[in-house]
Amino acid sequence: MHCPECGFVNSESASYCQRCGAFLARIGESEGGTTEAYQIDPSGELRPIDIEEAAAGGALVIRSGGGRAGELFELSGERTTIGRSPNADVFLDDVTVSRNHAVVVRRRDGFYIDDLGSLNGTYVNRRRIESHRLTHGDELQIGKYRLTFLER
């Protein structure tokens, strides 16, 4: 499959270009659909939540990856860490996710995601980033996980 950005020939099973990181869309592939959001309560049970209510400040919702679609993480503090470390605020259990992969920081003018020098990179809307100001509906790709940023 040829990359639409740089023309590099990738394997047919690749989702992202091995050279530039661009998303490789397949004919007939659809990314639509909806996801029901939930949080895990202290007892370990899944608790359905209203996305509009939860995204009062900002939130990340896992859209796909790791069998956790719908899990929501509120961005309530100044910094929200993302990584494979069990101590991360958003724990993503995947070998392609660095232990300290990225951080979402609340600044005066909004939320920013900063890559922390991860080996496989952080992608926003299919573009590899170092730092990016997030806007409502942005899609993040970290390892095999796709997350959506919500803000109200």
mmCIF file of all heavy atoms in Angstrom, residues 40-66:
data_model
loop_
_atom_site.group_PDB
_atom_site.id
_atom_site.type_symbol
_atom_site.label_atom_id
_atom_site.label_comp_id
_atom_site.label_asym_id
_atom_site.label_seq_id
_atom_site.Cartn_x
_atom_site.Cartn_y
_atom_site.Cartn_z
ATOM 1 N N ILE A 40 -14.512 3.173 35.657
ATOM 2 C CA ILE A 40 -14.431 2.053 36.582
ATOM 3 C C ILE A 40 -14.496 2.621 37.996
ATOM 4 O O ILE A 40 -13.682 3.454 38.375
ATOM 5 C CB ILE A 40 -13.128 1.261 36.365
ATOM 6 C CG1 ILE A 40 -13.099 0.731 34.921
ATOM 7 C CG2 ILE A 40 -13.012 0.128 37.366
ATOM 8 C CD1 ILE A 40 -11.806 0.083 34.524
ATOM 9 N N ASP A 41 -15.519 2.186 38.770
ATOM 10 C CA ASP A 41 -15.657 2.707 40.134
ATOM 11 C C ASP A 41 -14.691 1.970 41.068
ATOM 12 O O ASP A 41 -14.046 1.007 40.662
ATOM 13 C CB ASP A 41 -17.112 2.656 40.604
ATOM 14 C CG ASP A 41 -17.655 1.259 40.798
ATOM 15 O OD1 ASP A 41 -16.857 0.316 40.947
ATOM 16 O OD2 ASP A 41 -18.887 1.105 40.814
ATOM 17 N N PRO A 42 -14.555 2.424 42.321
ATOM 18 C CA PRO A 42 -13.592 1.819 43.247
ATOM 19 C C PRO A 42 -13.776 0.314 43.460
ATOM 20 O O PRO A 42 -12.820 -0.379 43.781
ATOM 21 C CB PRO A 42 -13.823 2.583 44.555
ATOM 22 C CG PRO A 42 -14.351 3.909 44.119
ATOM 23 C CD PRO A 42 -15.186 3.619 42.901
ATOM 24 N N SER A 43 -14.984 -0.202 43.262
ATOM 25 C CA SER A 43 -15.209 -1.634 43.450
ATOM 26 C C SER A 43 -14.812 -2.443 42.219
ATOM 27 O O SER A 43 -14.868 -3.664 42.237
ATOM 28 C CB SER A 43 -16.685 -1.888 43.766
ATOM 29 O OG SER A 43 -17.482 -1.633 42.621
ATOM 30 N N GLY A 44 -14.407 -1.751 41.126
ATOM 31 C CA GLY A 44 -14.017 -2.441 39.906
ATOM 32 C C GLY A 44 -15.152 -2.619 38.916
ATOM 33 O O GLY A 44 -14.967 -3.181 37.841
ATOM 34 N N GLU A 45 -16.346 -2.151 39.262
ATOM 35 C CA GLU A 45 -17.504 -2.260 38.380
ATOM 36 C C GLU A 45 -17.505 -1.133 37.347
ATOM 37 O O GLU A 45 -17.032 -0.030 37.616
ATOM 38 C CB GLU A 45 -18.803 -2.188 39.192
ATOM 39 C CG GLU A 45 -18.982 -3.356 40.142
ATOM 40 C CD GLU A 45 -19.194 -4.664 39.417
ATOM 41 O OE1 GLU A 45 -19.961 -4.705 38.440
ATOM 42 O OE2 GLU A 45 -18.552 -5.652 39.829
ATOM 43 N N LEU A 46 -18.068 -1.413 36.169
ATOM 44 C CA LEU A 46 -18.211 -0.390 35.137
ATOM 45 C C LEU A 46 -19.428 0.463 35.445
ATOM 46 O O LEU A 46 -20.507 -0.058 35.724
ATOM 47 C CB LEU A 46 -18.374 -1.036 33.757
ATOM 48 C CG LEU A 46 -17.226 -1.916 33.292
ATOM 49 C CD1 LEU A 46 -17.532 -2.478 31.909
ATOM 50 C CD2 LEU A 46 -15.926 -1.163 33.275
ATOM 51 N N ARG A 47 -19.244 1.790 35.378
ATOM 52 C CA ARG A 47 -20.338 2.714 35.665
ATOM 53 C C ARG A 47 -20.555 3.577 34.422
ATOM 54 O O ARG A 47 -19.692 4.370 34.067
ATOM 55 C CB ARG A 47 -19.974 3.585 36.861
ATOM 56 C CG ARG A 47 -21.034 4.591 37.241
ATOM 57 C CD ARG A 47 -20.657 5.352 38.502
ATOM 58 N NE ARG A 47 -19.333 5.942 38.482
ATOM 59 C CZ ARG A 47 -19.052 7.171 38.027
ATOM 60 N NH1 ARG A 47 -20.009 7.929 37.561
ATOM 61 N NH2 ARG A 47 -17.832 7.634 38.044
ATOM 62 N N PRO A 48 -21.708 3.420 33.721
ATOM 63 C CA PRO A 48 -21.982 4.255 32.540
ATOM 64 C C PRO A 48 -22.061 5.722 32.947
ATOM 65 O O PRO A 48 -22.537 6.054 34.035
ATOM 66 C CB PRO A 48 -23.347 3.768 32.043
ATOM 67 C CG PRO A 48 -23.607 2.490 32.741
ATOM 68 C CD PRO A 48 -22.789 2.494 34.009
ATOM 69 N N ILE A 49 -21.580 6.603 32.070
ATOM 70 C CA ILE A 49 -21.623 8.043 32.356
ATOM 71 C C ILE A 49 -22.066 8.808 31.121
ATOM 72 O O ILE A 49 -21.970 8.319 30.002
ATOM 73 C CB ILE A 49 -20.260 8.573 32.840
ATOM 74 C CG1 ILE A 49 -19.179 8.268 31.811
ATOM 75 C CG2 ILE A 49 -19.864 8.005 34.163
ATOM 76 C CD1 ILE A 49 -17.897 8.970 32.071
ATOM 77 N N ASP A 50 -22.545 10.000 31.349
ATOM 78 C CA ASP A 50 -22.952 10.897 30.277
ATOM 79 C C ASP A 50 -21.719 11.656 29.798
ATOM 80 O O ASP A 50 -21.107 12.394 30.559
ATOM 81 C CB ASP A 50 -24.017 11.869 30.793
ATOM 82 C CG ASP A 50 -24.485 12.856 29.742
ATOM 83 O OD1 ASP A 50 -24.111 12.713 28.564
ATOM 84 O OD2 ASP A 50 -25.227 13.787 30.110
ATOM 85 N N ILE A 51 -21.337 11.471 28.542
ATOM 86 C CA ILE A 51 -20.131 12.106 28.001
ATOM 87 C C ILE A 51 -20.213 13.616 28.104
ATOM 88 O O ILE A 51 -19.242 14.273 28.463
ATOM 89 C CB ILE A 51 -19.893 11.677 26.536
ATOM 90 C CG1 ILE A 51 -19.429 10.221 26.502
ATOM 91 C CG2 ILE A 51 -18.856 12.554 25.870
ATOM 92 C CD1 ILE A 51 -19.151 9.689 25.126
ATOM 93 N N GLU A 52 -21.348 14.200 27.796
ATOM 94 C CA GLU A 52 -21.483 15.660 27.838
ATOM 95 C C GLU A 52 -21.207 16.199 29.240
ATOM 96 O O GLU A 52 -20.553 17.205 29.419
ATOM 97 C CB GLU A 52 -22.876 16.090 27.379
ATOM 98 C CG GLU A 52 -23.154 15.781 25.916
ATOM 99 C CD GLU A 52 -22.206 16.495 24.976
ATOM 100 O OE1 GLU A 52 -21.889 17.667 25.206
ATOM 101 O OE2 GLU A 52 -21.767 15.863 24.001
ATOM 102 N N GLU A 53 -21.695 15.478 30.229
ATOM 103 C CA GLU A 53 -21.496 15.896 31.614
ATOM 104 C C GLU A 53 -20.038 15.722 32.028
ATOM 105 O O GLU A 53 -19.446 16.576 32.682
ATOM 106 C CB GLU A 53 -22.398 15.042 32.511
ATOM 107 C CG GLU A 53 -22.547 15.547 33.907
ATOM 108 C CD GLU A 53 -23.551 14.682 34.662
ATOM 109 O OE1 GLU A 53 -24.735 14.685 34.282
ATOM 110 O OE2 GLU A 53 -23.118 14.016 35.616
ATOM 111 N N ALA A 54 -19.429 14.623 31.626
ATOM 112 C CA ALA A 54 -18.053 14.322 32.024
ATOM 113 C C ALA A 54 -17.044 15.243 31.355
ATOM 114 O O ALA A 54 -15.989 15.506 31.898
ATOM 115 C CB ALA A 54 -17.728 12.878 31.688
ATOM 116 N N ALA A 55 -17.357 15.730 30.172
ATOM 117 C CA ALA A 55 -16.416 16.568 29.430
ATOM 118 C C ALA A 55 -16.566 18.039 29.772
ATOM 119 O O ALA A 55 -16.214 18.900 28.981
ATOM 120 C CB ALA A 55 -16.596 16.340 27.930
ATOM 121 N N ALA A 56 -17.092 18.351 30.959
ATOM 122 C CA ALA A 56 -17.298 19.743 31.356
ATOM 123 C C ALA A 56 -16.012 20.540 31.244
ATOM 124 O O ALA A 56 -16.028 21.684 30.835
ATOM 125 C CB ALA A 56 -17.857 19.805 32.769
ATOM 126 N N GLY A 57 -14.876 19.960 31.606
ATOM 127 C CA GLY A 57 -13.587 20.608 31.397
ATOM 128 C C GLY A 57 -12.946 20.005 30.164
ATOM 129 O O GLY A 57 -12.900 20.582 29.102
ATOM 130 N N GLY A 58 -12.475 18.806 30.312
ATOM 131 C CA GLY A 58 -11.874 18.062 29.218
ATOM 132 C C GLY A 58 -11.833 16.600 29.598
ATOM 133 O O GLY A 58 -11.826 16.245 30.785
ATOM 134 N N ALA A 59 -11.809 15.729 28.598
ATOM 135 C CA ALA A 59 -11.775 14.295 28.857
ATOM 136 C C ALA A 59 -11.184 13.579 27.646
ATOM 137 O O ALA A 59 -11.213 14.089 26.531
ATOM 138 C CB ALA A 59 -13.184 13.764 29.129
ATOM 139 N N LEU A 60 -10.645 12.396 27.909
ATOM 140 C CA LEU A 60 -10.188 11.494 26.863
ATOM 141 C C LEU A 60 -11.034 10.241 26.933
ATOM 142 O O LEU A 60 -11.253 9.702 28.023
ATOM 143 C CB LEU A 60 -8.720 11.117 27.057
ATOM 144 C CG LEU A 60 -7.691 12.217 26.882
ATOM 145 C CD1 LEU A 60 -6.296 11.707 27.248
ATOM 146 C CD2 LEU A 60 -7.701 12.740 25.458
ATOM 147 N N VAL A 61 -11.524 9.775 25.783
ATOM 148 C CA VAL A 61 -12.319 8.547 25.714
ATOM 149 C C VAL A 61 -11.601 7.586 24.788
ATOM 150 O O VAL A 61 -11.232 7.950 23.671
ATOM 151 C CB VAL A 61 -13.740 8.809 25.162
ATOM 152 C CG1 VAL A 61 -14.507 7.505 25.030
ATOM 153 C CG2 VAL A 61 -14.492 9.781 26.038
ATOM 154 N N ILE A 62 -11.366 6.358 25.256
ATOM 155 C CA ILE A 62 -10.768 5.341 24.394
ATOM 156 C C ILE A 62 -11.814 4.911 23.379
ATOM 157 O O ILE A 62 -12.903 4.473 23.749
ATOM 158 C CB ILE A 62 -10.269 4.130 25.212
ATOM 159 C CG1 ILE A 62 -9.147 4.561 26.155
ATOM 160 C CG2 ILE A 62 -9.798 3.015 24.281
ATOM 161 C CD1 ILE A 62 -8.620 3.462 27.053
ATOM 162 N N ARG A 63 -11.500 5.050 22.104
ATOM 163 C CA ARG A 63 -12.418 4.650 21.027
ATOM 164 C C ARG A 63 -12.149 3.222 20.580
ATOM 165 O O ARG A 63 -13.059 2.508 20.198
ATOM 166 C CB ARG A 63 -12.285 5.596 19.830
ATOM 167 C CG ARG A 63 -12.661 7.030 20.119
ATOM 168 C CD ARG A 63 -14.089 7.166 20.619
ATOM 169 N NE ARG A 63 -15.049 6.718 19.658
ATOM 170 C CZ ARG A 63 -15.821 7.487 18.930
ATOM 171 N NH1 ARG A 63 -15.764 8.771 19.065
ATOM 172 N NH2 ARG A 63 -16.668 6.978 18.072
ATOM 173 N N SER A 64 -10.876 2.813 20.592
ATOM 174 C CA SER A 64 -10.539 1.436 20.225
ATOM 175 C C SER A 64 -9.173 1.088 20.784
ATOM 176 O O SER A 64 -8.375 1.971 21.080
ATOM 177 C CB SER A 64 -10.552 1.254 18.696
ATOM 178 O OG SER A 64 -9.530 2.024 18.097
ATOM 179 N N GLY A 65 -8.947 -0.204 20.931
ATOM 180 C CA GLY A 65 -7.660 -0.706 21.400
ATOM 181 C C GLY A 65 -7.752 -1.334 22.769
ATOM 182 O O GLY A 65 -8.364 -0.792 23.681
ATOM 183 N N GLY A 66 -7.169 -2.504 22.896
ATOM 184 C CA GLY A 66 -7.068 -3.159 24.194
ATOM 185 C C GLY A 66 -8.373 -3.616 24.803
ATOM 186 O O GLY A 66 -8.422 -3.911 25.986
#
